[in-house]
Amino acid sequence: MNEKAEWDSRVEAFWETFDDSKPQDMLAGMRALVEERPEGDARALAEWGGVHDALDLSAQAVEPYRRALDAGLGLEEQHQVTLQLASTLRNLGFVDESIGLLEQLDAPELGDAPAAFLALALHIAGRPNDALRTALTALAPHLPMYGRAASDYAAELAPDV
């Protein structure tokens, strides 16, 4: 196993045993992992942001997420971090930026997760019809019956202004 794969395995193990009731231990554990990587390592920055997010320290997650995206992640990791950043921004009250990121996110490997978070952001932004349309459109293909009806009802919702 190469060094990067071994590090990835230890990061995965960290998350499997993550315990938000021990925030200082979790920060120290992730800090130790991050410090093993070169300065500015995109994946390490993403994980550092993620541990802050998971500990409800959202304000401290934004910069590492942005730096990870700037440093160059693989496409799937870029999509995941973009979704995490958008969710964090929504939680911090930067709803318009969150919506912008989510509306541009084309990440089929994440399934309907971007649509779910976009619906939340649209709702918080006071755009209930847009939020409901987004949620129904994402949900419709998964309904064993009435999927077409759900799609039709979503299309009938007037856009919020």
Side-chain angles (χ1 to χ4, degrees):
M1 182 181 293
N2 69 33
E3 182 181 323
K4 179 74 168 82
E6 192 269 331
W7 185 83
D8 288 342
S9 177
R10 288 188 294 117
V11 168
E12 188 175 313
F14 170 88
W15 286 113
E16 287 173 3
T17 61
F18 179 80
D19 182 352
D20 63 358
S21 72
K22 299 177 180 177
Q24 295 308 317
D25 291 347
M26 297 300 100
L27 288 168
M30 183 55 74
R31 171 51 69 198
L33 288 165
V34 166
E35 288 177 351
E36 292 178 18
R37 303 298 305 154
E39 180 73 26
D41 180 85
R43 175 77 192 287
L45 290 165
E47 296 297 342
W48 187 238
V51 75
H52 284 85
D53 237 353
L55 292 169
D56 292 326
L57 302 170
S58 299
Q60 291 134 322
V62 173
E63 181 194 353
Y65 283 159
R66 289 191 196 281
R67 289 181 56 211
L69 290 167
D70 289 343
L73 294 161
L75 190 59
E76 289 187 12
E77 288 174 331
Q78 178 185 345
H79 291 164
Q80 292 170 357
V81 173
T82 299
L83 181 68
Q84 290 168 219
L85 173 60
S87 177
T88 299
L89 290 169
R90 183 196 77 240
N91 288 335
L92 293 171
F94 300 101
V95 179
D96 290 339
E97 186 177 358
S98 174
I99 290 169
L101 287 171
L102 293 165
E103 286 179 336
Q104 294 176 28
L105 184 58
D106 181 17
E109 76 281 2
L110 296 178
D112 293 319
F117 286 90
L118 177 58
L120 286 168
L122 290 166
H123 175 73
I124 290 169
R127 296 169 54 189
N129 283 2
D130 293 338
L132 183 57
R133 183 181 319 97
T134 299
L136 286 173
T137 300
L139 177 63
H142 305 286
L143 299 176
M145 297 174 63
Y146 310 108
R148 186 179 66 169
S151 292
D152 290 347
Y153 288 133
E156 290 174 8
L157 289 166
D160 294 311
V161 185

